[in-house]
Amino acid sequence: MRITIFGLGYVGAVCAGCLSARGHEVIGVDVSQTKIDLINQGKSPIVEPGLAELLEAGVKSGRLRGTTDVAAAVLASELSFIAVGTPSKRNGDLDLGYMESVCKQIGAALRDKQERHTVVVRSTVLPGTVKNVVIPLIEAASGKKAGVDFGVATNPEFLRESTAIKDYDFPAMTVIGELDQQSGDLLQELYSELDAPIIRKSIEVAEMIKYTCNVWHAAKVTFANEIGNIAKAAGVDGREVMDVVCQDHKLNLSKYYMKPGFAFGGSCLPKDVRALSYRAGSLDVEAPLISSLMRSNAAQVKKAFDIVTNYDKRRIGLLGLSFKAGTDDLRESPLVELAEMLIGKGYELRIFDSNVEYARVFGANKEYIESKIPHVSSLLCKELDEVVAQSDVLIIGNGERRFAEVMESVGEDKQIVDLVGFMAHPTQANREGICW
């Protein structure tokens, strides 16, 4: 393909070298004449193992060159990658100055181009940037319509410094955010020879994926550091602890807990988070991430409460009271907390949970139910149909399969609040998910 890369910094230079090595014709564009001169001399503008050799080979083969002429580069290519910097402002927001400038220049060049051109944002940008900034600027400068007269896509990079070429050649995945199918097809063709899954999503989802990955990596580093600090203060080698933790691929390093939804609960997680936070404090060890977990968990319960109370309806049905399906354990169940909040605000609440109903009569949790939450347990109904029929808002609280069937069968006269993830689609008129 004939490709233009705008921005010859870390991402742009690596992509230029790797794409030219794979036989594509690449034009690098940058405002810095120094960078352009280095590229045209086959030299790397950044320090990255193996990149200088790729750039030198690309220039010698005639497949790579640099220029400051935006219009000429756009007219000579079919695909433009935007890889300019998006640095932080003082308030933490992104500075899109470079992005805005490039979009205006690309748009001006497209005004006189008859051949279809596809613009791909490779830079890391927040969700909504392409829709609210990139597309309007290009459309205004070109007089053309995105998705019709020119293509638009995002293609977030997952390159680590010092291993960028290997990361490019052997990615874990390739994410394509497409405005139109033709743009997605073009990028899929470009990456077809890479041995990795190609994931095609909407532009906004792709933008969010990149940030989620980076913040998750930051969270992992911070978590490991805090565990290490607490362990050291307790006379334990944190490296030994985390080495064993990382050997568990069933739960610790897996997708099991990585699903947006309601708060955690049960007899273990809340108690152990509080205990470790307390121990860190008693050892004079700062653990801001770990110490914030219970506060974040409480905020998720409050969010569910706010969703329900935003409706002008007073009859509420709660399907599920235990913290997860298949158990009668109510200890620190966030659903109990949610029920208490609704009761406190005077809502007419009905609850169905067959496991808890059994426990109230026969189970080991009978004493807990009678002594700790009698005001909540008194609202338990024996029949699911009774709760459904007499409620205007139904909260899907845990993952019992019957609750999914209820959600699919009830009419539009009832508002559903899904805390589990049964909904196949994001929030709609009478179906609202807590995180979707």
Side-chain angles (χ1 to χ4, degrees), residues 77-267:
S77 59
E78 58 191 298
L79 176 68
S80 287
F81 280 114
I82 299 178
V84 297
T86 52
S88 290
K89 295 180 180 178
R90 293 184 65 180
N91 65 0
D93 194 10
L94 291 184
D95 184 344
L96 297 176
Y98 301 126
M99 177 75 65
E100 292 169 351
S101 177
V102 165
C103 288
K104 292 174 184 177
Q105 293 175 323
I106 292 175
L110 290 180
R111 180 176 288 275
D112 300 322
K113 185 172 182 178
Q114 301 302 315
E115 179 186 5
R116 178 182 170 88
H117 195 86
T118 300
V119 180
V120 181
V121 176
R122 189 82 158 146
S123 303
T124 299
V125 293
L126 289 164
T129 301
V130 172
K131 177 182 178 181
N132 299 319
V133 177
V134 172
I135 290 176
L137 287 175
I138 297 177
E139 287 183 335
S142 67
K144 296 182 177 183
K145 181 69 176 176
V148 179
D149 304 312
F150 64 94
V152 178
T154 55
N155 178 214
E157 50 82 20
F158 300 98
L159 307 176
R160 298 168 295 172
E161 295 183 38
S162 80
T163 61
I165 294 174
K166 182 179 179 181
D167 290 341
Y168 186 97
D169 290 335
F170 303 99
M173 60 183 178
T174 297
V175 176
I176 298 170
E178 58 190 55
L179 178 68
D180 55 285
Q181 183 177 338
Q182 191 172 347
S183 296
D185 291 344
L186 185 66
L187 283 175
Q188 180 154 347
E189 180 185 350
L190 180 68
Y191 294 120
S192 60
E193 61 186 28
L194 294 180
D195 185 18
I198 294 177
I199 301 168
R200 295 172 64 166
K201 296 290 183 179
S202 69
I203 284 177
E204 290 81 5
V205 170
E207 289 171 321
M208 190 64 189
I209 287 171
K210 170 62 176 179
Y211 272 91
T212 302
C213 289
N214 279 2
V215 174
W216 174 228
H217 299 328
K220 287 183 289 185
V221 171
T222 303
F223 176 77
N225 287 344
E226 290 190 3
I227 290 295
N229 292 340
I230 298 170
K232 180 182 178 181
V236 177
D237 188 336
R239 297 172 300 178
E240 188 175 355
V241 172
M242 290 305 298
D243 180 63
V244 176
V245 167
C246 291
Q247 292 181 43
D248 178 0
H249 290 260
K250 186 175 181 180
L251 295 178
N252 290 346
L253 300 183
S254 74
K255 63 181 182 180
Y256 187 81
Y257 292 109
M258 298 290 287
K259 298 174 183 177
F262 198 41
F264 60 78
S267 61

Side-chain angles (χ1 to χ4, degrees), residues 305 308-309 313-316 338-350 379:
F305 174 77
V308 174
T309 56
K313 299 178 180 180
R314 305 296 299 180
R315 300 194 307 165
I316 312 298
L338 177 59
E340 291 177 326
M341 294 169 72
L342 292 168
I343 293 169
K345 287 297 182 179
Y347 283 85
E348 184 181 333
L349 182 64
R350 292 176 176 83
L379 302 176

Side-chain angles (χ1 to χ4, degrees), residues 30 50 73 78 92 107 132 134 140 149 153 179 191 230 250 272 304 333 352 354 365-366 390 392 403:
D30 201 284
E78 58 191 298
N132 299 319
V134 172
D149 304 312
L179 178 68
Y191 294 120
I230 298 170
K250 186 175 181 180
D272 292 344
S333 170
F352 176 82
S354 58
N365 282 329
K366 180 180 179 181
Q390 298 183 29
D392 298 316
F403 300 161

